[in-house]
Amino acid sequence: PGGTGKAPAARTPAPGGQAVRLYEPPAGTDPAAAAPVFPELHPIGQAHGTYIVAQNEEGLYLIDQHAAHERINYERYLGLFGNPGEIGQELLVPLTLEFTPAEAKIIERRLSVLAQAGVRMEPFGGSSFIVRSCPHWFPKGEERQIIEEMAAWLLAEQESVDIAKLREKSDILCACRHSRKANDPLSRRGMKALIDRLSACQNPVTWPHGRPSIVRIKK
């Protein structure tokens, strides 16, 4: 994952046990190097409040609305995290996080890494830290959980921390928490808007965790 547009095409089992590619690259093209081409789709309904059902002349399509929305948000947040100088927002009520003494030593050594991801945190006595600011696009009400997960990732990294990996991890956290969930009803207009936004993504056929966001059943 990473929004390169060069991920392998998604597959899904089809009746008869044959795999169906959502995207078929032209003859002689390396599939791994070919950008997925998103088809023109027309929504016809929603299944179980979770899957958008759409169609075109090629067949029927099922779109996982959470996976699709997460892909949309992932590419949006990835661009935002790439501009660390523009992302900080002072918190009206600073957050206080507690760690063990051993964890606090590690976190203190890596405060500059958090700052590069838009989280300004400083020691607050003992093993406590206070968060003064975080990216303004963090899903409202989810700031503490996201920062705690970022800190947990920093604590789990034994070697030197790669800021690019931290930004991507944070990006995935924000995208997941800010995306539509299962059993979330959509109007026909809402389905079409989600499909149109997905089609504009660099890699629309998979979500950030790697599984397909859309599958096709051939006509």
Side-chain angles (χ1 to χ4, degrees):
T4 62
K6 297 182 180 180
R11 290 176 179 269
T12 179
Q18 296 180 341
V20 176
R21 285 179 180 270
L22 176 64
Y23 165 64
E24 295 288 354
T29 302
D30 178 4
V37 174
F38 199 86
E40 179 71 25
L41 298 179
H42 307 284
I44 57 177
Q46 189 183 33
H48 305 294
T50 300
Y51 301 98
I52 296 172
V53 184
Q55 67 179 354
N56 64 13
E57 294 182 354
E58 298 297 322
L60 191 69
Y61 295 77
L62 297 179
I63 302 167
D64 182 325
Q65 66 189 40
H66 174 72
H69 202 202
E70 188 167 340
R71 165 54 66 180
I72 293 165
N73 284 331
Y74 172 81
E75 294 194 9
R76 170 176 173 261
Y77 287 127
L78 193 63
L80 291 171
F81 270 111
N83 297 291
E86 305 173 8
I87 63 180
Q89 172 179 271
E90 293 290 327
L91 295 173
L92 293 177
V93 180
L95 303 174
T96 302
L97 305 183
E98 300 287 342
F99 299 92
T100 67
E103 290 172 340
K105 291 180 180 179
I106 297 173
I107 292 295
E108 188 164 8
R109 292 199 303 267
R110 295 178 171 177
L111 290 176
S112 61
V113 180
L114 281 170
Q116 291 181 67
V119 176
R120 186 163 64 86
M121 191 162 72
E122 59 191 47
F124 196 55
S127 301
S128 301
F129 289 81
I130 189 167
V131 180
R132 298 291 187 184
S133 65
C134 67
H136 59 80
W137 63 80
F138 273 12
K140 192 172 182 60
E142 302 280 355
E143 296 90 347
R144 176 182 293 276
Q145 291 86 346
I146 291 173
I147 295 169
E148 286 177 341
E149 292 190 51
M150 291 171 69
W153 184 84
L154 286 175
L155 291 169
E157 288 295 296
Q158 300 299 319
E159 306 298 330
S160 59
V161 176
D162 184 339
I163 181 59
K165 287 184 179 179
L166 177 60
R167 285 176 179 163
E168 183 174 26
K169 174 70 174 177
S170 307
D171 177 13
I172 292 173
L173 289 172
C174 288
C176 183
R177 292 179 178 276
H178 205 217
S179 298
R180 289 186 175 276
K181 302 299 189 290
N183 301 314
D184 189 357
L186 289 171
S187 66
R188 187 72 62 85
R189 179 176 296 179
M191 296 178 208
K192 185 65 169 68
L194 188 65
I195 290 173
D196 289 345
R197 292 177 66 194
L198 181 63
S199 70
C201 290
Q202 291 183 321
N203 186 2
V205 300
T206 61
W207 74 338
H209 303 287
R211 81 184 190 204
S213 59
I214 177 171
V215 295
R216 184 183 73 190
I217 301 172
K218 283 187 175 180
K219 186 176 180 179

